[in-house]
Amino acid sequence: MAKTIRKYLIAGNWKMNKTGSEGADLIREINLGLGKQTDVGVVVCPPFTALESSAKALEDSNVQLGAQNMHPKQEGAYTGEISAVMLRSLFCTHVILGHSERREYFNESDSFINEKVVAALDSSLKPIFCVGETLEQREAEQTFEVVKTQLVEGLKGVSSEAADNLIVAYEPVWAIGTGKTATPEMAQEVHKMIRDELSSILGEGAAAKIRILYGGSMKPENASELLDQADIDGGLIGGAALSAKPFVELVKIAASK
Ligand code: PEP
């Protein structure tokens, strides 16, 4: 169902897991589990090498396809990189940008992520733009400041008209892949701040439409309470997206709201 004007979205980030054939098998299982439901938006984000087989497996499905990264330039001498045009040619509709693993292990800066967000929107790809604080930053009470800077810098040059295509994911770094989840209240507090900040950057109307996903060890056992929060519009799911059962279960929990 929907939260006022926002439909829940459950997105799976497979990270560096699944070959092309393993990915297609997982999608077939997800398709079987979900049937043709349209109450909840569902996206899977396989690694680049599994996008083509995943797109084929998704041909008659309502599940959409996303990538986990892209380069801001359309083409050129950028060895090892993949552009928005290439992702569109593989039927991708979404792309995860600014994931904390890319910020940390590949030194991606706010301004580089900003270039990608703008390029994705220009190419009609929906960015799932990730923000979040580290444990150190949370303990130093810098969460709001850190997330606010990531939003302001990452969304430079984005217009309020682009809001229909923009998705934000709040992922506290200390909760990713650790089994530690933010309590629903902790998550809601930051989601509310994010929506307020989106309102000052893009305007109130745009902010009301943008889906803000929670990410960080979300699983069927803790999803319901998180999804009940006023500003949590879905989940970006890592570990629990790697097999069909918990992933399908998460979509069903969102659909039951
Ligand atoms: C992620 O990496 O986007 C994520 C939320 O991972 P996990 O669900 O495994 O914490």
Side-chain angles (χ1 to χ4, degrees):
M1 298 303 283
K3 232 172 212 159
T4 60
I5 55 173
R6 302 185 301 272
K7 180 168 163 173
Y8 280 112
L9 178 70
I10 300 291
N13 174 12
W14 295 2
K15 310 195 185 191
M16 198 171 69
N17 295 291
K18 309 286 178 194
T19 61
S21 62
E22 288 167 349
D25 286 346
L26 173 53
I27 287 171
R28 278 188 279 273
E29 274 187 75
I30 292 171
N31 282 338
L32 277 176
L34 291 180
K36 291 280 187 189
Q37 76 81 36
T38 53
D39 289 339
V40 174
V42 184
V43 182
V44 289
C45 302
F48 292 134
T49 48
L51 286 175
E52 191 161 11
S53 63
S54 297
K56 284 205 183 88
L58 287 172
E59 257 163 27
D60 287 317
S61 170
N62 290 328
V63 175
Q64 292 181 294
L65 187 63
Q68 299 172 20
N69 183 30
M70 58 163 246
H71 193 275
K73 294 281 192 290
Q74 298 282 8
E75 59 183 13
Y78 299 98
T79 302
E81 291 296 317
I82 304 281
S83 73
V85 182
M86 294 167 183
L87 297 181
R88 296 276 300 158
S89 77
L90 290 171
F91 307 101
C92 285
T93 49
H94 293 69
V95 59
I96 299 172
L97 297 174
H99 192 281
S100 62
E101 286 153 16
R102 299 225 47 99
R103 292 177 188 264
E104 184 183 349
Y105 305 137
F106 303 98
N107 297 318
E108 289 198 9
S109 64
D110 285 330
S111 68
F112 191 45
I113 295 162
N114 173 241
E115 281 184 59
K116 297 183 191 207
V117 170
V118 170
L121 289 167
D122 283 348
S123 299
S124 305
L125 276 173
K126 296 182 164 87
I128 302 176
F129 167 48
C130 304
V131 295
E133 81 288 0
T134 62
L135 184 57
E136 231 179 15
Q137 291 163 335
R138 176 161 280 267
E139 285 174 350
E141 297 184 2
Q142 292 166 346
T143 300
F144 278 24
E145 188 189 320
V146 166
V147 172
K148 188 177 161 178
T149 304
Q150 290 170 338
L151 288 168
V152 170
E153 297 299 317
L155 295 177
K156 273 193 178 148
V158 171
S159 70
S160 47
E161 290 74 52
D164 285 341
N165 290 323
L166 178 67
I167 296 147
V168 174
Y170 168 57
E171 300 208 307
V173 180
W174 49 271
I176 296 178
T178 58
K180 288 184 196 151
T181 325
T183 64
E185 295 73 25
M186 274 158 94
Q188 167 58 23
E189 189 188 27
V190 184
H191 279 238
K192 167 85 173 65
M193 179 279 282
I194 291 174
R195 196 169 313 281
D196 289 345
E197 195 51 41
L198 290 173
S199 183
S200 23
I201 302 171
L202 299 170
E204 205 179 324
K209 285 198 257 176
I210 296 174
R211 281 170 298 179
I212 308 173
L213 313 183
Y214 169 79
S217 300
M218 196 193 248
K219 46 186 187 259
E221 296 73 25
N222 59 25
S224 184
E225 271 187 280
L226 285 161
L227 294 173
D228 279 341
Q229 303 304 308
D231 291 289
I232 300 186
D233 306 310
L236 180 55
I237 318 296
L242 291 177
S243 42
K245 200 166 173 277
F247 190 68
V248 166
E249 187 60 29
L250 283 164
V251 176
K252 291 189 172 163
I253 291 168
S256 73
K257 298 287 167 195

